[in-house]
Amino acid sequence: MVYATSPEIFLKRAEELIKVGQTTTALDSLYDVLTAKRLRNVNAGNAEPFIKKFVSLSVEQRKGKQLKDGLTQYRNIVQYNNPESMDTVVTYMLDEITQRVVGAQQSAEKATVDDVEDLDEAESPEAMILSSVTGEQSKDRADRALVTPWLKFLWEAYRNLLDILRNNVRFEALYQRISNQAIDFCKTYERKTEFRRLCELLRGHLQAIVKYSHQQNAINLSNPETMQLFLDTHFHQLNTATEMELWQECYRSIEDIHHLIQQSKRPIKPQAMANYFE
């Protein structure tokens, strides 16, 4: 039996399922194509619409595991011939999720206002009792119900992307960009616990680079440009830890930077060293 391998054919079938309201089945069909490696010999340019539809459906249904598995397969498809396509798809994915976060925040604000039937009327006794018992205001409840699931999904997306892109010279710039965005996420939403986990994750990835430097496509820290990318990210991590008053993470970040500087083959930027000694 001859199987169709054109991404356009698979995409068309998925869009037909979407039109009749079967979005879950559509996502499953795209996922099956990816995991069965039926696109491995396809030109990346032709596969981009397919993978974007897969990403869009995965985000819409908050299917984090399927999304990670599918992107892992797409990485394998494009890493040799068109690694730039991975950058395009990752940017598209994060934009999709960020839009969902913003939309959820707007919905939460509207829900909070809609809870108030009369703006001139004092808070009802029932609402006051509920607030005193739970310690939770209307906005807190709306945020937890509407915003938190999408924030969790965005955080999961950052972690999964870092795992997919780690220790691969073809995606080293993209990896550092996602690292910095994840750091900014923790700062923006004041997520101290997640920031600590992120620091530990990046630290583990750095240790793995040193340990597995002999592997194919491995990151080469002897490359000056690569070293500068890592230093820039870890200085950003240090500055963020300082702003968030996470002093233990500051200390550990300084240790990470010290180890990187010891491996550097050229002088570090003066401004970077100034930040280090501050």
Side-chain angles (χ1 to χ4, degrees):
M1 181 180 292
V2 177
Y3 292 98
T5 58
S6 170
E8 292 86 355
I9 293 175
F10 298 129
L11 180 58
K12 183 178 179 180
R13 290 174 181 170
E15 288 175 339
E16 289 172 352
L17 290 168
I18 294 170
K19 286 179 181 179
V20 295
Q22 297 186 37
T23 56
T24 300
T25 305
L27 174 59
D28 290 342
S29 69
L30 297 179
Y31 177 75
D32 290 342
V33 170
L34 280 168
T35 54
K37 301 179 181 179
R38 295 171 69 180
L39 298 182
R40 57 188 168 186
N41 296 320
V42 172
N43 180 277
N46 296 332
E48 263 188 33
F50 172 95
I51 194 67
K52 284 183 176 180
K53 178 60 67 175
F54 169 77
V55 166
S56 181
L57 289 172
S58 298
V59 170
E60 179 184 315
Q61 299 173 40
R62 288 207 295 265
K63 297 288 188 178
K65 185 181 182 305
Q66 281 185 306
L67 183 56
K68 181 181 180 181
D69 291 345
L71 286 177
T72 300
Q73 294 301 326
Y74 192 68
R75 175 203 63 193
N76 296 338
I77 293 171
V78 303
Q79 66 177 337
Y80 293 109
N81 298 320
N82 192 358
E84 296 81 8
S85 181
M86 191 69 181
D87 193 315
T88 301
V89 171
V90 166
T91 300
Y92 175 80
M93 182 191 92
L94 291 176
D95 286 346
E96 284 274 302
I97 303 175
T98 301
Q99 289 174 17
R100 297 280 181 169
V101 172
V102 173
Q105 290 171 328
Q106 293 172 345
S107 298
E109 290 174 4
K110 185 178 184 300
T112 303
V113 173
D114 289 347
D115 280 346
V116 182
E117 296 181 2
D118 187 343
L119 294 175
D120 292 325
E121 190 175 285
E123 189 174 17
S124 69
E126 292 83 358
M128 293 176 66
I129 292 172
L130 178 62
S131 176
S132 64
V133 171
T134 63
E136 186 177 53
Q137 301 296 326
S138 294
K139 185 178 186 307
D140 297 324
R141 293 193 294 273
D143 282 348
R144 193 179 72 226
L146 300 172
V147 180
T148 300
W150 284 111
L151 283 179
K152 286 183 176 180
F153 191 71
L154 180 55
W155 165 242
E156 180 185 4
Y158 282 129
R159 287 190 305 168
N160 287 341
L161 285 173
L162 290 172
D163 190 48
I164 293 169
L165 301 170
R166 64 190 175 95
N167 199 17
N168 191 320
V169 68
R170 299 179 185 277
F171 302 116
E172 61 179 350
L174 179 57
Y175 172 88
Q176 299 298 345
R177 179 158 64 85
I178 300 305
S179 298
N180 282 285
Q181 289 181 8
I183 291 170
D184 291 338
F185 167 88
C186 295
K187 177 183 174 182
T188 299
Y189 296 102
E190 300 178 352
R191 305 304 307 179
K192 292 187 176 183
T193 298
E194 285 74 15
F195 182 75
R196 292 188 188 96
R197 291 172 181 164
L198 176 63
C199 292
E200 192 60 37
L201 181 70
L202 297 180
R203 191 168 295 117
H205 288 176
L206 184 57
Q207 292 168 353
I209 287 173
V210 176
K211 184 176 181 180
Y212 301 109
S213 58
H214 60 283
Q215 291 185 346
Q216 185 180 20
N217 297 325
I219 296 290
N220 179 14
L221 290 176
S222 298
N223 183 297
E225 288 72 24
T226 297
M227 176 60 70
Q228 192 60 56
L229 285 172
F230 272 92
L231 284 171
D232 289 344
T233 296
H234 281 78
F235 273 117
H236 183 43
Q237 175 183 311
L238 172 60
N239 292 334
T240 302
T242 303
E243 292 176 24
M244 298 178 73
E245 299 183 348
L246 294 172
W247 309 122
Q248 186 176 8
E249 285 307 324
C250 288
Y251 177 76
R252 300 185 73 183
S253 297
I254 290 171
E255 285 188 323
D256 295 337
I257 293 169
H258 176 69
H259 292 319
L260 281 169
I261 290 174
Q262 286 184 319
Q263 298 180 63
S264 180
K265 301 300 182 181
R266 71 176 184 179
I268 308 301
K269 291 180 180 178
Q271 182 58 47
M273 291 304 297
N275 291 338
Y276 174 72
F277 286 111
E278 283 178 4

